[in-house]
Amino acid sequence: SALGDFHAQSRVRDRRLLLLGAIAALGEDMTFTIQARSALKRGEIDREQLHEIVTFLTAYVGYPRGAKMRMAIQTMLAQMEK
């Protein structure tokens, strides 16, 4: 199937980035945070890249959604440091 081929050819990180973009477009900051935490823990992205992703996506999803994502990510990172 086309979907199977897509998954076979794509790397995990690429799929995660696509997923983060789709979640951001929907404005689901809680789901975005869950996926971002998983990506960090699995080493798919680092903290700096996560901040870059949020900054980049804000230009496409709008400031209100981007600001919510940024606040959720800051809270998540603070919790991970404890």
Side-chain angles (χ1 to χ4, degrees):
S1 78
L3 185 58
D5 292 341
F6 175 77
H7 285 291
Q9 295 172 359
S10 296
R11 298 183 326 211
V12 172
R13 181 177 185 273
D14 293 342
R15 291 193 305 260
R16 180 80 68 181
L17 292 174
L18 289 169
L19 181 59
L20 288 170
I23 293 167
L26 294 171
E28 297 289 335
D29 53 303
M30 183 180 287
T31 306
F32 188 90
T33 302
I34 291 167
Q35 289 297 322
R37 180 182 291 121
S38 179
L40 287 168
K41 286 184 176 182
R42 295 171 138 242
E44 296 165 2
I45 59 174
D46 60 32
R47 289 171 181 245
E48 182 179 336
Q49 291 169 327
L50 179 57
H51 287 293
E52 291 172 1
I53 290 166
V54 172
T55 299
F56 175 79
L57 289 173
T58 298
Y60 293 94
V61 303
Y63 180 79
R65 286 183 176 168
K68 280 177 51 181
M69 280 189 305
R70 183 166 304 284
M71 288 177 61
I73 291 300
Q74 288 173 343
T75 300
M76 178 203 66
L77 291 174
Q79 291 171 350
M80 288 178 74
E81 290 177 0
K82 291 181 182 182

Coordinates of all heavy atoms in Angstrom, one line a residue:
S1 N 0.8 -1.2 0.0 CA 0.0 0.0 0.0 C 0.9 1.2 0.0 O 2.0 1.2 0.4 CB -0.9 0.0 1.2 OG -0.2 0.4 2.4
A2 N 0.3 2.3 -0.4 CA 1.1 3.6 -0.5 C 1.5 4.0 0.9 O 2.6 4.5 1.1 CB 0.2 4.7 -1.1
L3 N 0.6 3.8 1.9 CA 0.9 4.2 3.3 C 2.1 3.4 3.8 O 3.0 3.9 4.4 CB -0.3 4.1 4.2 CG -0.1 4.6 5.6 CD1 0.3 6.0 5.6 CD2 -1.4 4.4 6.4
G4 N 2.1 2.1 3.5 CA 3.1 1.2 4.0 C 4.5 1.6 3.3 O 5.5 1.6 4.0
D5 N 4.4 1.9 2.0 CA 5.7 2.4 1.4 C 6.2 3.7 2.0 O 7.4 3.8 2.2 CB 5.4 2.6 -0.1 CG 5.1 1.3 -0.8 OD1 5.4 0.2 -0.3 OD2 4.5 1.4 -2.0
F6 N 5.3 4.6 2.3 CA 5.7 5.8 2.9 C 6.4 5.6 4.3 O 7.5 6.1 4.5 CB 4.5 6.7 3.2 CG 4.8 8.0 3.9 CD1 5.4 9.0 3.3 CD2 4.5 8.1 5.3 CE1 5.7 10.2 3.9 CE2 4.8 9.3 5.9 CZ 5.4 10.3 5.3
H7 N 5.8 4.7 5.1 CA 6.4 4.4 6.4 C 7.7 3.7 6.2 O 8.7 3.9 7.0 CB 5.5 3.6 7.3 CG 4.4 4.4 7.8 ND1 4.6 5.4 8.8 CD2 3.0 4.5 7.6 CE1 3.4 6.0 9.1 NE2 2.5 5.4 8.4
A8 N 7.8 2.8 5.2 CA 9.0 2.1 5.0 C 10.2 3.0 4.6 O 11.3 2.7 4.9 CB 8.8 1.0 4.0
Q9 N 9.9 4.0 3.8 CA 10.9 4.9 3.3 C 11.2 6.1 4.2 O 12.3 6.7 4.0 CB 10.5 5.4 1.9 CG 10.3 4.3 0.9 CD 9.7 4.8 -0.4 OE1 9.4 6.0 -0.5 NE2 9.5 4.0 -1.4
S10 N 10.4 6.4 5.1 CA 10.6 7.5 5.9 C 11.3 7.1 7.2 O 11.1 6.0 7.7 CB 9.2 8.2 6.3 OG 8.6 8.6 5.2
R11 N 12.1 8.1 7.7 CA 12.7 7.8 9.0 C 11.8 8.2 10.1 O 10.9 9.0 9.9 CB 14.0 8.7 9.1 CG 15.0 8.3 8.0 CD 16.3 9.1 8.2 NE 16.0 10.4 8.7 CZ 16.7 11.5 8.4 NH1 17.7 11.4 7.6 NH2 16.4 12.7 8.9
V12 N 12.0 7.7 11.3 CA 11.2 8.0 12.4 C 11.1 9.5 12.7 O 10.1 10.0 13.0 CB 11.7 7.2 13.7 CG1 11.0 7.6 14.9 CG2 11.5 5.7 13.4
R13 N 12.3 10.1 12.7 CA 12.3 11.5 13.0 C 11.5 12.3 12.0 O 10.8 13.3 12.4 CB 13.8 12.0 12.9 CG 13.9 13.5 13.3 CD 15.4 13.9 13.3 NE 15.6 15.3 13.7 CZ 15.5 16.3 12.9 NH1 15.3 16.2 11.6 NH2 15.7 17.5 13.4
D14 N 11.5 12.0 10.7 CA 10.7 12.7 9.7 C 9.3 12.5 10.0 O 8.5 13.5 9.9 CB 11.1 12.2 8.3 CG 12.5 12.5 7.9 OD1 13.1 13.4 8.4 OD2 12.9 11.8 6.9
R15 N 8.8 11.3 10.4 CA 7.4 11.1 10.7 C 7.0 11.9 11.9 O 5.9 12.5 12.0 CB 7.1 9.6 10.9 CG 7.2 8.8 9.6 CD 6.7 7.4 9.8 NE 7.2 6.7 10.9 CZ 8.2 5.7 10.7 NH1 8.6 5.5 9.5 NH2 8.6 5.1 11.8
R16 N 7.9 12.0 12.9 CA 7.6 12.7 14.1 C 7.5 14.2 13.8 O 6.6 14.9 14.3 CB 8.7 12.6 15.1 CG 8.5 13.3 16.4 CD 7.6 12.6 17.4 NE 8.2 11.4 17.9 CZ 7.7 10.6 18.7 NH1 6.5 10.8 19.2 NH2 8.3 9.5 19.1
L17 N 8.3 14.8 12.9 CA 8.2 16.2 12.6 C 6.9 16.5 11.8 O 6.3 17.5 12.1 CB 9.4 16.6 11.7 CG 10.8 16.6 12.4 CD1 11.9 16.9 11.4 CD2 10.8 17.6 13.6
L18 N 6.5 15.6 10.9 CA 5.3 15.7 10.2 C 4.1 15.7 11.2 O 3.2 16.5 11.1 CB 5.1 14.6 9.2 CG 6.0 14.7 8.0 CD1 5.9 13.5 7.1 CD2 5.6 15.9 7.1
L19 N 4.2 14.8 12.2 CA 3.1 14.7 13.2 C 3.1 15.9 14.0 O 2.0 16.4 14.3 CB 3.4 13.4 14.1 CG 2.4 13.1 15.2 CD1 1.0 12.9 14.6 CD2 2.9 11.9 15.9
L20 N 4.2 16.5 14.5 CA 4.2 17.7 15.2 C 3.6 18.8 14.5 O 2.8 19.6 15.0 CB 5.6 18.0 15.7 CG 6.2 17.2 16.8 CD1 7.7 17.5 16.9 CD2 5.5 17.3 18.1
G21 N 3.9 18.9 13.2 CA 3.3 20.0 12.4 C 1.8 19.8 12.3 O 1.0 20.8 12.4
A22 N 1.3 18.6 12.1 CA -0.2 18.4 12.0 C -0.8 18.7 13.3 O -1.9 19.4 13.3 CB -0.4 16.9 11.6
I23 N -0.2 18.3 14.4 CA -0.8 18.6 15.7 C -0.8 20.1 16.0 O -1.8 20.6 16.5 CB 0.0 17.8 16.8 CG1 -0.2 16.3 16.7 CG2 -0.5 18.3 18.2 CD1 0.7 15.5 17.5
A24 N 0.2 20.8 15.6 CA 0.3 22.2 15.8 C -0.8 22.9 15.0 O -1.4 23.8 15.5 CB 1.7 22.7 15.4
A25 N -1.0 22.4 13.8 CA -2.1 23.0 12.9 C -3.5 22.9 13.6 O -4.3 23.8 13.4 CB -2.0 22.4 11.6
L26 N -3.6 21.8 14.3 CA -4.9 21.6 15.0 C -5.0 22.4 16.3 O -6.1 22.5 16.9 CB -5.1 20.1 15.3 CG -5.3 19.2 14.0 CD1 -5.2 17.7 14.4 CD2 -6.5 19.5 13.3
G27 N -3.9 22.9 16.8 CA -3.9 23.7 18.0 C -4.0 22.8 19.3 O -4.4 23.3 20.3
E28 N -3.6 21.6 19.1 CA -3.6 20.6 20.2 C -2.3 20.7 21.0 O -1.4 19.8 20.9 CB -3.9 19.2 19.7 CG -5.2 19.0 19.0 CD -6.4 19.1 20.0 OE1 -6.2 18.8 21.2 OE2 -7.5 19.4 19.5
D29 N -2.2 21.7 21.9 CA -0.9 21.9 22.6 C -0.6 20.7 23.6 O 0.6 20.4 23.7 CB -0.8 23.2 23.3 CG -2.0 23.5 24.2 OD1 -3.2 23.5 23.7 OD2 -1.8 23.7 25.4
M30 N -1.6 20.1 24.2 CA -1.3 19.0 25.1 C -0.8 17.8 24.3 O 0.2 17.2 24.7 CB -2.6 18.5 25.8 CG -2.3 17.4 26.8 SD -3.8 16.8 27.7 CE -4.0 18.2 28.8
T31 N -1.4 17.5 23.1 CA -0.9 16.4 22.3 C 0.5 16.7 21.8 O 1.4 15.9 21.7 CB -1.9 16.1 21.2 OG1 -3.2 15.9 21.7 CG2 -1.4 14.9 20.4
F32 N 0.7 18.0 21.4 CA 2.0 18.4 20.9 C 3.1 18.2 22.0 O 4.2 17.7 21.7 CB 2.0 19.9 20.5 CG 3.2 20.4 19.9 CD1 3.3 20.4 18.5 CD2 4.3 20.9 20.6 CE1 4.5 20.8 17.9 CE2 5.4 21.4 20.0 CZ 5.5 21.3 18.6
T33 N 2.8 18.5 23.2 CA 3.7 18.3 24.3 C 4.0 16.8 24.5 O 5.2 16.5 24.7 CB 3.1 18.9 25.6 OG1 2.8 20.3 25.4 CG2 4.1 18.8 26.8
I34 N 3.0 16.0 24.4 CA 3.2 14.5 24.6 C 4.2 14.0 23.5 O 5.1 13.3 23.8 CB 1.9 13.8 24.5 CG1 1.1 14.1 25.8 CG2 2.1 12.3 24.4 CD1 -0.4 13.6 25.7
Q35 N 3.9 14.4 22.3 CA 4.8 14.0 21.2 C 6.2 14.6 21.3 O 7.2 13.9 21.0 CB 4.2 14.3 19.8 CG 2.9 13.5 19.5 CD 3.3 12.0 19.4 OE1 4.3 11.7 18.8 NE2 2.4 11.2 19.8
A36 N 6.3 15.8 21.7 CA 7.6 16.5 21.8 C 8.4 15.8 22.9 O 9.6 15.6 22.8 CB 7.4 18.0 22.1
R37 N 7.8 15.5 24.1 CA 8.5 14.8 25.2 C 9.0 13.5 24.7 O 10.2 13.1 24.9 CB 7.5 14.6 26.3 CG 8.2 13.9 27.5 CD 7.3 13.6 28.7 NE 7.0 14.9 29.3 CZ 5.7 15.3 29.5 NH1 4.7 14.6 29.0 NH2 5.5 16.5 30.1
S38 N 8.2 12.7 23.9 CA 8.6 11.4 23.4 C 9.8 11.6 22.5 O 10.8 10.8 22.5 CB 7.4 10.7 22.7 OG 7.8 9.5 22.2
A39 N 9.7 12.6 21.6 CA 10.8 12.8 20.6 C 12.1 13.2 21.4 O 13.2 12.7 21.0 CB 10.5 14.0 19.7
L40 N 12.0 14.0 22.4 CA 13.2 14.3 23.2 C 13.8 13.1 23.9 O 15.0 12.9 23.9 CB 12.8 15.4 24.3 CG 12.6 16.8 23.8 CD1 12.0 17.6 24.9 CD2 13.9 17.4 23.3
K41 N 12.9 12.3 24.5 CA 13.4 11.1 25.3 C 14.0 10.1 24.3 O 14.9 9.4 24.7 CB 12.2 10.5 26.0 CG 11.8 11.3 27.3 CD 10.8 10.6 28.1 CE 10.4 11.3 29.3 NZ 9.4 10.6 30.2
R42 N 13.5 10.0 23.1 CA 14.1 9.0 22.2 C 15.3 9.6 21.4 O 15.8 8.9 20.6 CB 13.0 8.6 21.2 CG 11.8 7.9 21.8 CD 10.7 7.7 20.9 NE 10.2 6.3 21.0 CZ 10.2 5.4 20.1 NH1 10.6 5.7 18.9 NH2 9.7 4.2 20.4
G43 N 15.6 10.8 21.6 CA 16.8 11.4 21.0 C 16.5 11.8 19.5 O 17.5 12.0 18.8
E44 N 15.3 11.9 19.1 CA 14.9 12.3 17.8 C 15.2 13.8 17.5 O 15.5 14.2 16.4 CB 13.5 11.9 17.5 CG 13.2 10.4 17.5 CD 11.7 10.1 17.6 OE1 10.9 11.0 17.6 OE2 11.4 8.9 17.7
I45 N 15.0 14.6 18.6 CA 15.3 16.0 18.5 C 15.9 16.4 19.9 O 15.8 15.7 20.8 CB 14.0 16.9 18.3 CG1 13.0 16.6 19.3 CG2 13.5 16.6 16.9 CD1 11.8 17.6 19.2
D46 N 16.6 17.6 19.9 CA 17.0 18.1 21.2 C 16.3 19.3 21.5 O 15.4 19.8 20.8 CB 18.6 18.3 21.1 CG 19.0 19.4 20.1 OD1 18.2 20.3 19.8 OD2 20.1 19.2 19.6
R47 N 16.5 19.9 22.7 CA 15.8 21.0 23.2 C 15.8 22.2 22.2 O 14.9 22.9 22.0 CB 16.2 21.4 24.6 CG 15.8 20.4 25.6 CD 16.5 20.7 27.0 NE 16.1 19.7 27.9 CZ 15.4 20.0 29.0 NH1 15.0 21.2 29.3 NH2 15.1 19.0 29.8
E48 N 17.0 22.5 21.7 CA 17.2 23.6 20.8 C 16.4 23.4 19.6 O 15.7 24.4 19.1 CB 18.7 23.8 20.5 CG 18.9 25.0 19.5 CD 20.4 25.2 19.2 OE1 21.3 24.7 20.0 OE2 20.7 25.8 18.2
Q49 N 16.4 22.2 19.0 CA 15.6 21.9 17.8 C 14.1 22.1 18.1 O 13.3 22.6 17.3 CB 15.9 20.5 17.3 CG 17.3 20.4 16.7 CD 17.7 19.0 16.5 OE1 17.3 18.1 17.2 NE2 18.5 18.8 15.4
L50 N 13.7 21.7 19.3 CA 12.3 21.8 19.7 C 11.9 23.3 19.7 O 10.8 23.6 19.2 CB 12.0 21.2 21.1 CG 10.6 21.3 21.6 CD1 9.6 20.7 20.6 CD2 10.5 20.6 23.0
H51 N 12.7 24.2 20.3 CA 12.4 25.6 20.2 C 12.3 26.1 18.8 O 11.5 26.9 18.5 CB 13.4 26.4 21.1 CG 13.3 26.2 22.5 ND1 12.2 26.6 23.2 CD2 14.0 25.6 23.4 CE1 12.3 26.3 24.5 NE2 13.4 25.7 24.7
E52 N 13.2 25.6 17.9 CA 13.2 26.0 16.5 C 12.0 25.6 15.8 O 11.4 26.3 15.0 CB 14.5 25.5 15.8 CG 15.8 26.1 16.3 CD 17.0 25.4 15.7 OE1 16.8 24.4 14.9 OE2 18.1 25.8 16.0
I53 N 11.5 24.4 16.1 CA 10.3 23.8 15.6 C 9.1 24.7 15.9 O 8.3 25.0 15.1 CB 10.1 22.4 16.0 CG1 11.1 21.5 15.3 CG2 8.7 21.9 15.7 CD1 11.2 20.1 16.0
V54 N 9.0 25.0 17.2 CA 7.9 25.9 17.7 C 7.9 27.2 17.0 O 6.9 27.7 16.5 CB 7.9 26.0 19.2 CG1 6.8 27.0 19.7 CG2 7.6 24.6 19.8
T55 N 9.1 27.8 16.9 CA 9.2 29.1 16.3 C 8.8 29.0 14.8 O 8.0 29.9 14.3 CB 10.7 29.6 16.4 OG1 11.0 29.8 17.8 CG2 10.8 31.0 15.7
F56 N 9.3 28.0 14.1 CA 9.0 27.8 12.7 C 7.5 27.6 12.5 O 6.8 28.3 11.7 CB 9.7 26.6 12.1 CG 9.4 26.3 10.7 CD1 9.9 27.0 9.7 CD2 8.5 25.2 10.5 CE1 9.6 26.7 8.4 CE2 8.2 24.9 9.2 CZ 8.7 25.6 8.1
L57 N 6.9 26.7 13.3 CA 5.5 26.4 13.1 C 4.6 27.6 13.5 O 3.5 27.7 12.9 CB 5.1 25.2 14.0 CG 5.6 23.9 13.5 CD1 5.3 22.8 14.5 CD2 5.1 23.5 12.1
T58 N 5.0 28.5 14.4 CA 4.2 29.6 14.7 C 3.9 30.5 13.5 O 2.8 31.0 13.4 CB 4.9 30.4 15.8 OG1 5.0 29.6 17.0 CG2 4.1 31.7 16.2
A59 N 4.8 30.6 12.6 CA 4.6 31.4 11.4 C 3.4 30.8 10.5 O 2.8 31.5 9.8 CB 5.9 31.5 10.6
Y60 N 3.2 29.5 10.7 CA 2.2 28.9 9.8 C 0.9 28.6 10.6 O -0.2 28.6 9.9 CB 2.7 27.5 9.3 CG 3.8 27.8 8.3 CD1 5.2 27.8 8.7 CD2 3.6 28.1 7.0 CE1 6.2 28.1 7.8 CE2 4.6 28.4 6.1 CZ 5.9 28.4 6.5 OH 6.9 28.7 5.6
V61 N 0.9 28.4 11.9 CA -0.3 28.1 12.6 C -0.9 29.3 13.3 O -2.0 29.3 13.8 CB -0.1 27.0 13.7 CG1 0.4 25.7 13.0 CG2 0.8 27.4 14.8
G62 N -0.1 30.4 13.3 CA -0.6 31.7 13.9 C 0.0 31.9 15.3 O 0.3 30.9 16.0
Y63 N 0.0 33.1 15.7 CA 0.6 33.4 17.0 C -0.1 32.8 18.2 O 0.5 32.3 19.1 CB 0.8 35.0 17.2 CG 1.4 35.3 18.5 CD1 2.8 35.2 18.7 CD2 0.6 35.7 19.6 CE1 3.3 35.5 19.9 CE2 1.2 36.0 20.8 CZ 2.5 35.9 21.0 OH 3.1 36.1 22.2
P64 N -1.5 32.9 18.2 CA -2.2 32.3 19.3 C -1.9 30.9 19.6 O -1.6 30.5 20.7 CB -3.7 32.5 19.0 CG -3.7 33.7 18.1 CD -2.4 33.6 17.3
R65 N -1.9 30.1 18.5 CA -1.6 28.6 18.7 C -0.1 28.5 19.0 O 0.3 27.6 19.8 CB -1.9 27.9 17.4 CG -3.4 27.7 17.3 CD -3.7 26.8 16.1 NE -5.2 26.6 16.1 CZ -5.9 26.1 15.1 NH1 -5.2 25.8 14.0 NH2 -7.2 26.0 15.1
G66 N 0.8 29.2 18.4 CA 2.2 29.1 18.6 C 2.6 29.5 20.1 O 3.4 28.9 20.7
A67 N 1.9 30.5 20.6 CA 2.2 31.0 22.0 C 1.7 29.9 23.0 O 2.4 29.6 23.9 CB 1.4 32.3 22.3
K68 N 0.6 29.2 22.7 CA 0.1 28.1 23.5 C 1.1 27.0 23.5 O 1.4 26.4 24.5 CB -1.3 27.6 23.1 CG -2.4 28.5 23.6 CD -3.8 28.0 23.0 CE -4.0 26.5 23.3 NZ -5.3 26.0 22.8
M69 N 1.6 26.7 22.3 CA 2.6 25.6 22.2 C 3.9 25.9 23.0 O 4.4 25.1 23.7 CB 3.0 25.3 20.7 CG 2.0 24.5 20.0 SD 2.7 24.0 18.3 CE 3.1 25.6 17.6
R70 N 4.3 27.2 22.8 CA 5.6 27.6 23.5 C 5.4 27.5 25.0 O 6.3 27.0 25.7 CB 6.0 29.0 23.1 CG 7.3 29.5 23.7 CD 7.9 30.7 23.1 NE 8.1 30.6 21.7 CZ 9.1 29.9 21.1 NH1 10.0 29.2 21.8 NH2 9.2 29.9 19.8
M71 N 4.3 28.0 25.5 CA 4.0 27.9 27.0 C 4.0 26.4 27.5 O 4.5 26.1 28.5 CB 2.8 28.6 27.3 CG 2.9 30.1 27.2 SD 1.3 31.0 27.6 CE 1.0 30.5 29.3
A72 N 3.3 25.6 26.7 CA 3.2 24.2 27.1 C 4.6 23.5 27.0 O 4.9 22.7 27.9 CB 2.2 23.5 26.1
I73 N 5.4 23.8 26.1 CA 6.7 23.3 25.9 C 7.6 23.7 27.1 O 8.4 23.0 27.7 CB 7.4 23.6 24.6 CG1 6.6 22.9 23.5 CG2 8.8 23.3 24.5 CD1 6.7 21.4 23.6
Q74 N 7.5 25.0 27.4 CA 8.3 25.5 28.6 C 8.0 24.8 29.9 O 8.9 24.5 30.6 CB 8.2 27.1 28.7 CG 8.8 27.8 27.6 CD 8.5 29.3 27.6 OE1 7.6 29.8 28.2 NE2 9.3 30.1 26.8
T75 N 6.7 24.6 30.1 CA 6.2 23.9 31.3 C 6.8 22.5 31.3 O 7.3 22.0 32.3 CB 4.7 23.9 31.4 OG1 4.3 25.3 31.4 CG2 4.2 23.1 32.6
M76 N 6.7 21.8 30.1 CA 7.1 20.4 30.0 C 8.6 20.3 30.3 O 9.1 19.4 31.0 CB 6.8 19.9 28.6 CG 7.3 18.5 28.4 SD 7.6 18.0 26.6 CE 8.9 19.1 26.2
L77 N 9.4 21.2 29.7 CA 10.9 21.2 29.9 C 11.2 21.4 31.3 O 12.1 20.8 31.9 CB 11.5 22.2 29.0 CG 11.5 21.9 27.5 CD1 12.0 23.1 26.7 CD2 12.2 20.6 27.1
A78 N 10.5 22.3 32.0 CA 10.8 22.6 33.4 C 10.5 21.3 34.2 O 11.2 21.0 35.2 CB 9.9 23.8 33.9
Q79 N 9.4 20.6 33.9 CA 9.0 19.4 34.6 C 10.1 18.3 34.4 O 10.4 17.5 35.3 CB 7.7 18.9 34.2 CG 6.5 19.8 34.7 CD 5.2 19.4 34.0 OE1 5.1 18.6 33.1 NE2 4.1 20.0 34.6
M80 N 10.6 18.3 33.2 CA 11.6 17.2 32.9 C 12.9 17.5 33.6 O 13.7 16.5 33.8 CB 11.9 17.2 31.3 CG 10.8 16.6 30.5 SD 11.1 16.6 28.8 CE 12.3 15.3 28.6
E81 N 13.2 18.7 34.0 CA 14.4 19.1 34.7 C 14.4 18.7 36.2 O 15.4 18.6 36.8 CB 14.7 20.5 34.6 CG 15.2 20.9 33.2 CD 15.4 22.4 33.0 OE1 15.2 23.2 34.0 OE2 15.7 22.9 31.9
K82 N 13.2 18.5 36.7 CA 13.0 18.1 38.1 C 13.5 16.7 38.4 O 13.5 15.8 37.7 CB 11.5 18.2 38.5 CG 11.1 19.7 38.6 CD 9.6 19.8 39.0 CE 9.2 21.2 39.0 NZ 7.8 21.3 39.4

